[in-house]
Amino acid sequence: MPRIALATYDPGTEPSKDADLPLLVRALTDAGAEAEARHWDDPAADWGGYDLVVIRSTWDYSWRAAEFGAWVDRVGALTRLANPAPVVRWNADKRYLGDLAAAGVPTVPTRYVPPGEPAGLPAGEEFVIKPTSGAGARFAARYTPAEHDTAVRHLARMHAEGLTAMVQPYMPRIDVGGERALQFFGGRLLHASRKGAVLAPGTPYDADKVAHPRLEPWQPTDAELTVAEKALAAVPGAPGLLYARVDLVDGDDGEPRLMELELVEPNLFLWLHPDSLPRVTQAILAAAEDPA
């Protein structure tokens, strides 16, 4: 009987936002595993006692990046971690987009502005500012050229907290075609979803945002699958991936571009795709029982 931990965050007195977690624990238990959800920062957790630790919903990690990175390294040295520690470390910093672009993956153009560097913001188009370590649109906002001063204050706040900023052109086709999320599990396409634009005009960077507005099932196009597969093939250590979510938007030419590649703790949206639960369960069990 494999022992499996699903690593999540501690919601405190609030209900957990991970609707998939109880479904997965129940499905794995019904399949014969000894499965449980554990807070990733629980000091009492014996991570070495599990055959597999799956990073499922550690959704506060970007606020505690150094602490989370140390936890990833520690657990990865004690037992099998999915995804593997080197992949998680690489993917937790969105400067990975530069690596993928250099490998020929069509990506949203991105410029990085670390603390101490001048803003150099676009002057003739809408643009987006967000941190290289972030989730759920934390510290993210879109601006018009007329909002330059507000954007500079946004950058100053991020730099004061030691965060490196990403500056990207706003992809206007997202307002029509949305953002598509292609989920892969066990090396194969699991399902896909589409959501509306997250960043509404005028929304402050420090405001709470709906991370997945108007989510609906989606049938990916051949072009979307091609970009997704190219991105996954360019990941360092890609054969070790258990799960991945490839987030795509359309460029000005109508062709898909990689917005983000989620290899740390992507929401699986199993509540929207219940038929995917058995495949996810079997893939996790196979990973836990793999002698490699």
Side-chain angles (χ1 to χ4, degrees), residues 2-19:
R3 296 195 69 226
I4 301 169
L6 302 178
T8 186
Y9 75 110
D10 184 353
T13 59
E14 299 293 324
S16 172
K17 295 180 180 179
D18 186 356

Side-chain angles (χ1 to χ4, degrees), residues 47-71:
W47 300 109
Y50 296 101
D51 299 294
L52 175 69
V53 176
V54 181
I55 302 176
R56 233 347 311 121
S57 49
T58 55
W59 290 340
D60 58 349
Y61 88 88
S62 67
W63 295 96
R64 304 155 65 188
E67 182 182 352
F68 181 73
W71 175 83

Side-chain angles (χ1 to χ4, degrees), residues 151-287:
V152 169
R153 289 193 294 271
H154 178 179
L155 276 176
R157 168 71 186 282
M158 290 174 59
H159 287 169
E161 298 205 15
L163 299 172
T164 292
M166 304 165 60
V167 180
Q168 300 173 317
Y170 185 74
M171 310 299 281
R173 286 178 178 256
I174 196 173
D175 293 329
V176 177
E179 180 180 331
R180 281 85 70 198
L182 278 60
Q183 312 242 201
F184 292 78
F185 222 95
R188 296 187 298 142
L189 179 70
L190 181 67
H191 55 242
S193 312
R194 179 172 69 171
K195 68 180 181 182
V198 174
L199 300 179
T203 302
Y205 67 87
D206 53 356
D208 288 335
K209 305 173 185 75
V210 178
H212 306 290
R214 303 187 300 283
L215 196 68
E216 62 181 359
W218 177 254
Q219 181 63 43
T221 66
D222 289 343
E224 290 168 353
L225 287 168
T226 296
V227 173
E229 289 164 359
K230 192 168 188 176
L232 293 174
V235 174
L241 295 180
L242 175 62
Y243 54 83
R245 195 181 81 209
V246 185
D247 294 342
L248 304 171
V249 296
D250 290 332
D252 291 340
D253 57 1
E255 294 298 314
R257 301 283 187 276
L258 180 72
M259 173 75 79
E260 290 190 8
L261 180 59
E262 298 280 1
L263 307 179
V264 180
E265 31 64 87
N267 197 323
L268 298 178
F269 309 132
L270 293 176
W271 56 269
L272 184 66
H273 302 274
D275 292 345
S276 294
L277 181 59
R279 278 186 52 193
V280 171
T281 302
Q282 289 305 312
I284 292 175
L285 288 173

